[in-house]
Amino acid sequence: MAAMDAADQIRASGYRMTRQRQLVWDVLHGAERHLSADELLDAIRDHDPDLNLSSVYRTLALLVELGLAQEVRLGDAVSYWEPAHAQDEDHLICDTCGKVLHHPSELVDQIREHLRGHGFEAKDVKLVVHGQCPECGDRKVDSH
Amino acid sequence: MAAMDAADQIRASGYRMTRQRQLVWDVLHGAERHLSADELLDAIRDHDPDLNLSSVYRTLALLVELGLAQEVRLGDAVSYWEPAHAQDEDHLICDTCGKVLHHPSELVDQIREHLRGHGFEAKDVKLVVHGQCPECGDRKVDSH
DNA sequence: GTATATGCAAAGTCTTTGCATCGTT
DNA sequence: AACGATGCAAAGACTTTGCATATAC
């Protein structure tokens, strides 16, 4: 059973596969960190100078509709985007180096269970943590 | 030691106390849920029809500067505002009744400790959970 | 060939800012 | 009286939309 790639899934859903959609998906999928629509456009223009920002937005909306991408709001005015991973509900943002980590752990499940114990049935959990990642923390001596 | 109210604190910080600032503070402080700048304005206009949206924004910025209010981003385009409580780092949003609860618990501390155990020093933790609150959950029978 | 996707420009939403006037100190 | 705060309108940042053209199927 060959895995369906994004192009297949787009076509299988009755949409057309275009150069622009492929570019957006490739860059989004290959990115190490979250990108805003604008940053995505910049990155794509290295490969192909002719792509419009509105196409980026329209493609992102399509990818979200198909469950291939998701929007992330980190607390700024802009939205960031990443390939969809249901488990990536937590975002650890290092304020020193700027990296955004996903914490591959049971943390979100723990939160869910904790809340269930208090009667709140959690459907969607979003955890955004600013702080200092292990690498950056190592370089800084504790204050006392 | 009499507690300093918002008006005192504004004056003590060298700012002037105005009708507009008082209104914003009163409504913000008395609100049961998070309000956007626009909603805040609507609520205030019940008391006083002459208040400009830009004054609302400017007052909110001032209150944040003084540590009296804080901005909350729940995942929409708009910002919401509430009186500052360091402990209110979690927002439980009921998708059925729309209420926003603060979970008065040790949950955020647990998250912090969990992450510390993994080497990430959390400074600012934001937890936004959509789901169903105890009251609304009770009214709905489990699917099997 | 036809219907969908794109590019461009215009509009929309939320927030901020410049400037003359008003109001607190 | 002086200087900070307000109202108004204009501009800014980010995103969406209308429409003619281009392109995938």
Side-chain angles (χ1 to χ4, degrees), chain B residues 21-40:
Chain B
R21 287 178 175 167
Q22 189 67 57
L23 285 165
V24 171
W25 172 253
D26 286 347
V27 171
L28 185 71
H29 197 246
E32 294 173 347
R33 49 183 224 84
H34 305 106
L35 298 173
S36 67
D38 225 36
E39 292 168 336
L40 214 30

Side-chain angles (χ1 to χ4, degrees), chain A residues 9 14 19 21 23 30 33 37 42 45 60 75 79 92-93 106 115:
Chain A
Q9 198 169 334
R19 178 176 55 86
R21 287 177 175 168
L23 284 165
R33 47 183 224 83
D42 280 349
R45 282 191 165 150
L60 288 170
S79 284
L92 309 185
I93 303 155
E106 54 310 329
L115 293 177

Side-chain angles (χ1 to χ4, degrees), chain A residues 11 16-18 53-54 57-58 77-79:
Chain A
R11 267 185 282 253
R16 295 175 180 179
M17 193 55 204
T18 63
L53 186 56
S54 51
Y57 277 110
R58 281 190 277 230
V78 298
S79 284

Side-chain angles (χ1 to χ4, degrees), chain B:
Chain B
M1 50 189 192
M4 242 193 185
D5 67 3
D8 291 336
Q9 198 169 335
I10 285 172
R11 267 186 282 254
S13 308
Y15 298 105
R16 294 176 180 176
M17 193 56 206
T18 63
R19 178 176 56 85
Q20 291 89 336
R21 287 178 175 167
Q22 189 67 57
L23 285 165
V24 171
W25 172 253
D26 286 347
V27 171
L28 185 71
H29 197 246
E32 294 173 347
R33 49 183 224 84
H34 305 106
L35 298 173
S36 67
D38 225 36
E39 292 168 336
L40 214 30
L41 183 66
D42 280 349
I44 291 167
R45 283 191 165 149
D46 295 345
H47 303 263
D48 186 325
D50 289 322
L51 177 62
N52 196 273
L53 186 56
S54 51
S55 297
V56 174
Y57 278 110
R58 282 190 277 229
T59 299
L60 288 170
L62 176 64
L63 293 176
V64 168
E65 182 192 324
L66 298 184
L68 292 167
Q70 62 193 21
E71 187 176 1
V72 186
R73 287 194 170 265
L74 264 17
D76 313 298
V78 299
S79 284
Y80 293 90
W81 305 83
E82 64 181 8
H85 301 292
Q87 69 275 21
D88 286 350
E89 291 169 302
D90 57 342
H91 297 258
L92 309 184
I93 303 156
C94 179
D95 290 332
T96 303
C97 68
K99 237 180 297 177
V100 180
L101 314 169
H102 290 294
H103 187 62
S105 83
E106 56 308 329
L107 182 55
V108 169
D109 287 335
Q110 282 178 14
I111 293 168
R112 226 181 269 280
E113 272 189 38
H114 177 104
L115 293 177
R116 178 172 296 138
H118 289 257
F120 192 95
E121 194 62 32
K123 210 161 50 185
D124 183 48
V125 177
K126 278 180 207 139
L127 180 64
V128 177
V129 182
H130 281 264
Q132 205 164 41
C133 73
E135 288 168 35
C136 292
D138 285 347
R139 294 196 205 98
K140 194 178 170 186
V141 183
D142 207 66
S143 37
H144 50 270

